[in-house]
C-alpha cells in the first residue's frame, strides 16, 4: 500500500510578542526571525503513518511511505528526519510563493503530483495549519481526485493490502470504519501522536538519502493563483487584541498570594455562582 | 439574495447547531432575506423536534439511512441544481466544516470555513474569520456564487429558534442513495461522557506547566473541590492524560464561563480563543512574560501547584 503524508513547516507563532503582530501593505506579517516547527496536525499525521507501518507487517501489508511538502530548503531538515524514520521517499516542491490563503493551489499541486507523477493509495494530511487556518486542503484534495475523504481521523490501523481500519471523531462520538482505498485521510486531534525521534544510527544511515525536489512552476500555478483570487481573496488583516487588566498579585509566599486572590478577587465571585 | 441553512439532524448536537446558526443569522440582519433550511435526518421520531428548531419558516426534510458525507454531498448537489440559492450556511461542527468546502467545490462556488462575521454586498460576500491561530482577524471577499460558509465555533450566542409557523415545503426519502461503497463496515460509539465544558460556570484550565498525569489528576481533584470543571491545553490533551473532549481552544471547546482559572497555561492564542469569552480570568504561571498574564484579569506569578493547594485550604476553611 502506498501512502503519502503531506506536511508543512510553519512558523512558531507563539514566539511573537503582542507588538510583533502587524501586517504590511501586502498583508504579510514579518515572521522571518521566527523558528519553524511542524504543523501540529501534520506531526500527528506523520506519527500515525509510522505507527501503522510498525504494525502492518503483522497483517502481511507492505506500507510504502512518502513524505511530501511544499516550501523552501528549510523543510529539508524535516525530510531528512523522515528518511531516518524510514520513510521510503521524501519530496519537496520548491516554492517561495505566498500560498497562505490559497489552499486550492496547494491541493491542486498535491493532487496533480499524485495523479501524474507518483500514484498513491492513501493521502494523509493534517486538517489545517496555523497561518491561513483555511481548514480546506485535505477536503479539496479529495474532491480533485474524486476520492472519498475521512475527516478528524484519530487512529489508522491495518486491514488488508487494499483496505484500512480508520477511527475518526464525528459529532456526538467516534466512528470506526473499515474502508477500501484510495482515500484521503484528514487528521484531527489525535492523542499520543508526537513524532518520534530517529536513532543516531538511522540518522547516519538514511538521513542523507537524496530528497526529490520539483519546481512548483511546473504545476502551472500562476494561472491557478489568478483563478483562486477571483473566487476568494484576503482583503484585510488586523491584530486581535487579547489584552485585559493583567493585575499581578504581589506576595511573599504562595499562601499569601492565594489569600489575597481569595479575599479580593475570588470569594465574592464564587459566592455569586 | 437567498440563503439556505444546512443542518445535520442525525447528530445529537442538532439543537445546538440550529441555535448557533439562528444566533449568527440574528446578528447579521438576515431577517429581510429569503431563507430556508434543509435538514438531513434518519429517525422519524425526531422529526417534530427538528422542525420545531429550524431557524427559518421554510424547510425541506431529507431522510437518509445515516449521516455519511459522500451521500449527503450527492443529495445536496441534486437539490442545489434545482434551486436558486446564493448563500449556503453551515454550522461550526465537524460535518458543517466538511460539507461547506466540498459542496462549494462541486458547485464551482467559493467557500470559507470558520466565519465569525459577514456582510452581504453587491455580487460579493465579505466575511471575517480568525487566522494565524487566532492572532489576526482576516477579511475576505467571496465573489463566486454560491457562497458557502461554515461559521466559527462560539462566534454567536446560541439563540433558540423563533416561535413561528413552519412550512415543510418538501420531504424526500433518500435512504436508497449509496455513495459509500468504499465503507466495508462501520461502528459508531456515542460519546460516553460529554464534557459539557461549553456551559460550565467555573472552568479550570491545565496547561503545559502540568507535566505529569498524576499532576493533571490532582488538578482535577482541586478543580472539583473548588466547584470547577477541568479543561486542558493541547499539549496536555495530546499526552492522553484526559479525554480529548476536554481540549480547550480553536480545535476544541469554546467555553464562556463566569470564571476561568488557568494553571500553567502560557496563553497560546489558539487556546485563548477557547476562554476569551470568560467573564473573569485568573492566571497562575511561573513566567511573568507569559502572554496569559496580560490576557488575564488578575494573575499570580508562582508555582500553580503551591498556590492552588493553598487556595484549596483557604476555601475549605471558609466553608
Amino acid at each position: 500500500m502506498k501512502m503519502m503524508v503531506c506536511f508543512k513547516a510553519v512558523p512558531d507563532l507563539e514566539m511573537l510578542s503582542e507588538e510583533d503582530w502587524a501586517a504590511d501593505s501586502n498583508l504579510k506579517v514579518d515572521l522571518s526571525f521566527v523558528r519553524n516547527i511542524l504543523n501540529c496536525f501534520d506531526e500527528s499525521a506523520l506519527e500515525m503513518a509510522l505507527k501503522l507501518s510498525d504494525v502492518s507487517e503483522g497483517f502481511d501489508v507492505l506500507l510504502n511511505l512518502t513524505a511530501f511538502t511544499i516550501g523552501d530548503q528549510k523543510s529539508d531538515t524535516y525530510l531528512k528526519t523522515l528518511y531516518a524514520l524510514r520513510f521510503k521517499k521524501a519530496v519537496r516542491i520548491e516554492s517561495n510563493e505566498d500560498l497562505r490563503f490559497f489552499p486550492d493551489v496547494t491541493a491542486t499541486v498535491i493532487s496533480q503530483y499524485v495523479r501524474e507523477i507518483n500514484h498513491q493509495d492513501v493521502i494523509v494530511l493534517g486538517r489545517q495549519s496555523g497561518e491561513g487556518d483555511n481548514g480546506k486542503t485535505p477536503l479539496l484534495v479529495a474532491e480533485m481526485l474524486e476520492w472519498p475523504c475521512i475527516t478528524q481521523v484519530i487512529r489508522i490501523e491495518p486491514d488488508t493490502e487494499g483496505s484500512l481500519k480508520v477511527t475518526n471523531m464525528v459529532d456526538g462520538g467516534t466512528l470506526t470504519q473499515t474502508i477500501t482505498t484510495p482515500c484521503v485521510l484528514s487528521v484531527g486531534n489525535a492523542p499520543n501522536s508526537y513524532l518520534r525521534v530517529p536513532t543516531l544510527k538511522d540518522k547516519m544511515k538514511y538521513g542523507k538519502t537524496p530528497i526529490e525536489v520539483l519546481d512548483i512552476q511546473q504545476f502551472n500555478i500562476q494561472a491557478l493563483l489568478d483563478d483562486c483570487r477571483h473566487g476568494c481573496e484576503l482583503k484585510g488583516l488586523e491584530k486581535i487584541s487579547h489584552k485585559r487588566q493583567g493585575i499581578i498579585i504581589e506576595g511573599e509566599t504562595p499562601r499569601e498570594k492565594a489569600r489575597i486572590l481569595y479575599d479580593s478577587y475570588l470569594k465574592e465571585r464564587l459566592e455569586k455562582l | 439574495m437567498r440563503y439556505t441553512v444546512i443542518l445535520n439532524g442525525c447528530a445529537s448536537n442538532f439543537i445546538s447547531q440550529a441555535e448557533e446558526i439562528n444566533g449568527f443569522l440574528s446578528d447579521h440582519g438576515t431577517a429581510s432575506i429569503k431563507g430556508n433550511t434543509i435538514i438531513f435526518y434518519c429517525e422519524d421520531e425526531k422529526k417534530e423536534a427538528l422542525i420545531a428548531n429550524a431557524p427559518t419558516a421554510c424547510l425541506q426534510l431529507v431522510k437518509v439511512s445515516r449521516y455519511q458525507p459522500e451521500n449527503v454531498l450527492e443529495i445536496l448537489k441534486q437539490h442545489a441544481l434545482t434551486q436558486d440559492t446564493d448563500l449556503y450556511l453551515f454550522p461550526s461542527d465537524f460535518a458543517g466544516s466538511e460539507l461547506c468546502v466540498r459542496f462549494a467545490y462541486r458547485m464551482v462556488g467559493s467557500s470559507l470555513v470558520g466565519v465569525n462575521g459577514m456582510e452581504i454586498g453587491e455580487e460579493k460576500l465579505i466575511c471575517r474569520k480568525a487566522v494565524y491561530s487566532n492572532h489576526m482577524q482576516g477579511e475576505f471577499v467571496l465573489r463566486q456564487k454560491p457562497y458557502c460558509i461554515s461559521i466559527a465555533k462560539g462566534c454567536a450566542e446560541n439563540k433558540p429558534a423563533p416561535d413561528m409557523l413552519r412550512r415543510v415545503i418538501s420531504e424526500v426519502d433518500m435512504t436508497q442513495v449509496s455513495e459509500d461503497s468504499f465503507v466495508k463496515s462501520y461502528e459508531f460509539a456515542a460519546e460516553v461522557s460529554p464534557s459539557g465544558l461549553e456551559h460550565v460556570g467555573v472552568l479550570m484550565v491545565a496547561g503545559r506547566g502540568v507535566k505529569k498525569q498524576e499532576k493533571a489528576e490532582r488538578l482535577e481533584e482541586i478543580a472539583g473541590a473548588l466547584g470547577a470543571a477541568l479543561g486542558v491545553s493541547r499539549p496536555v490533551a495530546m499526552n492522553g492524560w484526559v479525554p480529548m473532549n476536554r481540549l480547550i481552544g480553536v480545535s476544541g471547546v469554546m467555553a464562556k464561563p463566569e470564571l476561568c482559572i488557568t494553571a500553567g497555561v502560557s496563553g497560546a492564542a489558539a487556546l485563548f480563543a477557547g476562554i476569551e469569552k470568560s467573564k473573569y480570568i485568573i492566571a497562575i504561571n511561573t513566567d511573568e512574560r507569559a502572554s496569559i498574564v496580560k490576557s488575564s484579569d488578575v494573575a499570580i506569578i508562582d508555582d500553580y501547584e503551591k498556590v492552588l493547594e493553598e487556595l484549596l485550604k483557604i476555601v475549605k476553611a471558609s466553608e
Side-chain angles (χ1 to χ4, degrees):
Chain A
M1 181 183 290
K2 290 186 77 179
M3 176 179 277
M4 184 167 101
V5 188
C6 303
F7 73 91
K8 187 172 164 190
V10 293
D12 183 355
L13 302 179
E14 298 316 316
M15 286 179 74
L16 273 72
S17 67
E18 174 95 11
E19 295 71 34
D20 294 323
W21 287 105
D24 64 18
S25 55
N26 294 318
L27 301 178
K28 286 186 176 171
V29 179
D30 182 11
L31 298 168
S32 55
F33 56 96
V34 179
R35 71 166 179 198
N36 274 339
I37 54 171
L38 271 178
N39 170 40
C40 60
F41 294 111
D42 299 345
E43 177 175 0
S44 293
L46 291 163
E47 178 59 26
M48 282 163 79
L50 289 167
K51 280 186 180 144
L52 179 69
S53 177
D54 294 342
V55 291
S56 284
E57 276 183 36
F59 285 73
D60 283 334
V61 177
L62 188 64
L63 194 66
N64 183 318
L65 290 176
T66 294
F68 178 99
T69 192
I70 302 175
D72 61 19
Q73 278 184 336
K74 285 182 200 157
S75 303
D76 286 356
T77 318
Y78 298 106
L79 291 166
K80 285 175 188 167
T81 301
L82 294 168
Y83 266 135
L85 289 171
R86 312 304 298 277
F87 271 72
K88 286 277 182 300
K89 193 168 194 162
V91 183
R92 179 167 62 82
I93 308 298
E94 171 71 31
S95 167
N96 290 307
E97 293 287 344
D98 176 15
L99 299 179
R100 289 171 303 163
F101 299 102
F102 296 108
D104 317 62
V105 176
T106 306
T108 303
V109 173
I110 294 170
S111 52
Q112 209 173 314
Y113 176 80
V114 168
R115 199 184 295 121
E116 294 169 11
I117 302 172
N118 186 2
H119 297 275
Q120 299 290 322
D121 300 303
V122 184
I123 305 175
V124 191
L125 313 90
R127 69 174 223 192
Q128 74 182 73
S129 71
E131 275 186 283
D133 282 323
N134 302 297
K136 290 168 72 170
T137 305
L139 305 168
L140 292 171
V141 170
E143 287 300 311
M144 287 170 186
L145 290 169
E146 296 181 1
W147 289 6
C149 180
I150 311 277
T151 61
Q152 312 296 339
V153 171
I154 56 170
R155 194 163 54 243
I156 313 172
E157 295 165 271
D159 186 53
T160 67
E161 185 60 41
S163 61
L164 286 169
K165 193 172 167 188
V166 178
T167 303
N168 66 321
M169 288 168 74
V170 292
D171 299 304
T174 55
L175 190 63
T176 300
Q177 305 178 85
T178 303
I179 53 160
T180 54
T181 58
C183 64
V184 172
L185 304 179
S186 168
V187 172
N189 290 321
N192 301 311
S193 54
Y194 287 120
L195 185 64
R196 63 190 69 180
V197 178
T199 61
L200 183 58
K201 190 177 158 194
D202 284 345
K203 264 188 175 176
M204 304 293 286
K205 194 169 173 187
Y206 304 104
K208 289 185 181 129
T209 316
I211 293 163
E212 181 180 311
V213 180
L214 301 172
D215 188 339
I216 197 162
Q217 298 309 331
Q218 80 180 72
F219 295 87
N220 191 24
I221 69 150
Q222 290 312 326
L224 270 173
L225 280 165
D226 290 343
D227 266 4
C228 296
R229 272 189 206 104
H230 175 70
C232 177
E233 188 178 10
L234 177 75
K235 295 302 264 186
L237 209 49
E238 275 182 18
K239 176 165 79 175
I240 299 174
S241 177
H242 301 299
K243 266 190 181 171
R244 293 194 182 208
Q245 278 184 293
I247 299 166
I248 294 178
I249 293 177
E250 303 292 345
E252 291 296 315
T253 62
R255 182 174 179 75
E256 193 184 335
K257 292 174 189 172
R259 170 55 71 186
I260 298 170
L261 174 68
Y262 182 71
D263 289 342
S264 306
Y265 304 99
L266 200 54
K267 188 178 172 197
E268 206 181 313
R269 288 191 168 83
L270 284 176
E271 281 168 0
K272 275 188 192 162
L273 289 166
Chain B
M1 171 73 83
R2 290 168 67 100
Y3 72 87
T4 299
V5 175
I6 312 291
L7 293 173
N8 173 15
C10 304
S12 55
N13 65 349
F14 171 80
I15 292 182
S16 105
Q17 290 174 50
E19 291 185 354
E20 182 186 53
I21 286 274
N22 195 38
F24 184 83
L25 290 170
S26 307
D27 291 351
H28 291 86
T30 49
S32 58
I33 308 170
K34 274 191 181 174
N36 77 311
T37 304
I38 299 177
I39 303 175
F40 290 90
Y41 75 102
C42 34
E43 293 168 273
D44 285 324
E45 55 271 31
K46 289 188 179 166
K47 219 163 79 175
E48 258 181 57
L50 300 177
I51 295 170
N53 284 285
T56 59
C58 279
L59 60 141
Q60 292 164 277
L61 296 174
V62 183
K63 187 171 183 184
V64 289
S65 52
R66 68 176 178 116
Y67 173 78
Q68 213 296 328
E70 314 296 331
N71 287 348
V72 169
L73 281 163
E74 185 54 34
I75 296 165
L76 261 183
K77 190 176 171 189
Q78 287 175 24
H79 160 273
L81 294 173
T82 64
Q83 300 283 318
D84 182 23
T85 287
D86 307 300
L87 167 64
Y88 285 89
L89 270 169
F90 296 82
S92 67
D93 59 356
F94 294 149
S97 315
E98 174 177 1
L99 294 177
C100 160
V101 177
R102 299 181 70 183
F103 179 62
Y105 182 86
R106 291 184 189 196
M107 296 304 297
V108 201
S110 44
S111 66
L112 203 60
V113 173
V115 171
N116 57 32
M118 71 167 188
E119 282 161 40
I120 298 165
E122 189 84 5
E123 295 304 308
K124 65 182 175 186
L125 186 74
I126 299 165
C127 293
R128 286 175 290 281
K129 66 170 278 185
V131 294
Y132 282 97
S133 294
N134 202 41
H135 286 282
M136 306 284 273
Q137 173 86 330
E139 185 178 278
F140 294 81
V141 179
L142 277 66
R143 296 193 188 91
Q144 213 155 303
K145 290 182 187 173
Y147 314 124
C148 299
I149 61 170
S150 72
I151 66 174
K153 222 188 287 179
C155 74
E157 284 290 323
N158 279 24
K159 198 172 168 189
D163 194 14
M164 59 185 167
L165 192 66
R166 288 180 172 77
R167 196 161 54 93
V168 178
I169 54 173
S170 74
E171 198 170 344
V172 284
D173 187 328
M174 294 287 212
T175 48
Q176 298 311 311
V177 173
S178 180
E179 294 290 316
D180 59 351
S181 55
F182 70 103
V183 180
K184 286 165 66 181
S185 64
Y186 67 91
E187 196 181 338
F188 173 71
E191 196 176 14
V192 183
S193 50
S195 73
L197 294 178
E198 294 90 346
H199 309 294
V200 296
V202 187
L203 177 70
M204 185 174 284
V205 184
R208 197 188 286 268
V210 179
K211 296 191 188 310
K212 286 183 184 168
Q213 181 157 7
E214 305 87 75
K215 292 191 188 290
E217 286 165 0
R218 176 61 187 147
L219 205 51
E220 181 148 30
E221 288 169 10
I222 295 175
L226 294 173
L230 185 72
V232 298
S233 71
R234 191 173 170 81
V236 180
M238 285 290 284
N239 284 321
W241 296 339
V242 295
M244 197 49 95
N245 62 5
R246 304 275 195 90
L247 173 65
I248 303 288
V250 173
S251 56
V253 174
M254 306 293 265
K256 40 191 170 192
E258 292 292 315
L259 181 63
C260 174
I261 304 171
T262 70
V265 165
S266 63
L271 172 125
F272 194 77
I275 58 168
E276 68 189 339
K277 291 205 168 148
S278 306
K279 289 257 169 65
Y280 202 77
I281 299 177
I282 297 167
I284 310 171
N285 197 300
T286 49
D287 183 2
E288 195 172 343
R289 293 164 304 167
S291 60
I292 191 70
V293 175
K294 281 184 184 166
S295 309
S296 65
D297 293 284
V298 61
I300 290 182
I301 311 302
D302 213 319
D303 184 316
Y304 81 85
E305 281 182 276
K306 290 177 185 164
V307 174
L308 286 176
E309 293 291 353
E310 292 297 341
L311 185 64
L312 186 60
K313 285 182 206 163
I314 295 167
V315 171
K316 281 190 171 167
S318 70
E319 281 171 356

